[in-house]
Amino acid sequence: MLDPHALVARAPIETRQELTCKDTILYALGVGAEEIAFTYEADLKALPTMAVVLTYPGFFWQQPDYGVDWPRILHGEQSVTIHRPLPAEGRFVGRTRFEGVEDKGPDKGAVVLVSRTIEDEDGVLYATDRRTAFLRGDGGCGNAGAAIPRPTPIAIDRAPDWVITLPTTPGLALLYRLSGDTNPLHVDPEVARAAGFARPILHGLCSYAVAGRAVLRAVVDNDPVRLTRLDARFSAPVYPGETIETRLWRDGDTRVRFESHVVDRNVRVLTHGLAEFA
């Protein structure tokens, strides 16, 4: 069973990565990007959402010493702050920490706040990744560490300023997982059924990146340097091959609120969306 105090007390997981142009292009293709700026090594630009896989420590929850019901884990919320534009290649160090555990109660699961800093080898900070993992099978474990932050809901009562519709392909999860997220929930039908899904679902961070692409296209003419923060809550799964519609509202000069829907099933899949710009 999950021991929340032991989890929060764990030493940071340190990971190192030599990022190549090939890695940057593979990530862009894995989130459905086709723009030449993100997929051709001549003057290649990195998508800001690539921070979620940069120095990613892998699906560590499968390791027995964590003591969790890993097939039932879902991604809850995601926040990335870009402190300086990501390069298309370079050497990076990531440090992943477990900041807090919130027990929802027996049979209700637990939420874990996980953060990762991404620096170059000289200690220059490029991005901070903060996410919550919803451990559906580990309720009743108790609380530990920092309180879990609550995202701000969208409170704009008007039609969206932009609506961007982007498709996904049936094989997108197979491509996205090559950037480091090897959770079998997204590829193995048996694991998906055991978790309560009819078939493998798209990685939450892939649908998050599709929304990020919509933000870039709508607001800053696909200039990745200008995006400095992207937050969202995952409210429902996306299946590979579905179409994602992102609705965006301007909220001042440097902020946009957004939410995303699956057109095929008329289901809202991302909520509490927030993007900030330099």
Side-chain angles (χ1 to χ4, degrees), residues 58 80 108 247 265 269:
V80 164
K108 293 184 178 180
R247 304 167 188 175
R265 293 179 284 122
V269 294

Side-chain angles (χ1 to χ4, degrees), residues 176-251:
Y176 182 84
R177 71 189 305 269
L178 298 180
S179 289
D181 190 341
T182 56
N183 184 347
L185 174 64
H186 307 292
V187 65
D188 189 325
E190 291 187 6
V191 172
R193 283 193 293 270
F197 300 105
R199 57 191 174 94
I201 62 175
L202 190 63
H203 300 71
L205 287 178
C206 185
S207 56
Y208 166 88
V210 172
R213 290 174 50 220
V215 170
L216 290 177
R217 181 178 296 187
V219 186
V220 293
D221 195 27
N222 269 336
D223 181 3
V225 171
R226 292 185 58 192
L227 184 64
T228 59
R229 179 177 173 180
L230 191 73
D231 295 1
R233 170 181 283 180
F234 302 98
S235 57
V238 176
Y239 290 97
E242 294 185 321
T243 298
I244 299 175
E245 177 186 271
T246 300
R247 304 167 188 175
L248 308 102
W249 292 264
R250 189 183 296 279
D251 185 16

Side-chain angles (χ1 to χ4, degrees), residues 23-60:
D23 298 324
T24 301
I25 293 170
L26 181 63
Y27 173 79
L29 294 173
V31 301
E34 295 180 343
E35 295 89 348
I36 194 170
F38 305 127
T39 56
Y40 178 42
E41 58 271 18
D43 195 27
L44 180 64
K45 294 179 174 59
L47 286 166
T49 54
M50 188 175 68
V52 303
V53 300
L54 196 56
T55 69
Y56 181 62
F59 190 58
F60 48 78

Side-chain angles (χ1 to χ4, degrees), residues 141-163:
C141 62
N143 300 323
I148 307 296
R150 298 291 187 265
T152 303
I154 296 173
I156 301 174
D157 187 18
R158 68 171 192 272
D161 297 297
W162 302 273
V163 177

Side-chain angles (χ1 to χ4, degrees), residues 16 39 65 95 111 217 230 255 275:
R16 294 178 179 267
T39 56
D65 58 320
R95 294 179 178 87
V111 178
R217 181 178 296 187
L230 191 73
R255 278 187 164 194

Side-chain angles (χ1 to χ4, degrees), residues 109-183:
V111 178
V112 179
L113 177 62
V114 186
S115 70
R116 185 172 78 261
T117 54
I118 301 162
E119 303 175 345
D120 67 13
E121 291 186 316
D122 295 323
V124 176
L125 181 64
Y126 275 80
T128 301
D129 175 309
R130 301 187 85 204
R131 62 183 72 189
T132 60
F134 182 30
L135 279 56
R136 294 184 294 163
D138 295 283
C141 62
N143 300 323
I148 307 296
R150 298 291 187 265
T152 303
I154 296 173
I156 301 174
D157 187 18
R158 68 171 192 272
D161 297 297
W162 302 273
V163 177
I164 303 295
T165 302
L166 295 171
T168 68
T169 61
L172 197 61
L174 303 178
L175 188 57
Y176 182 84
R177 71 189 305 269
L178 298 180
S179 289
D181 190 341
T182 56
N183 184 347

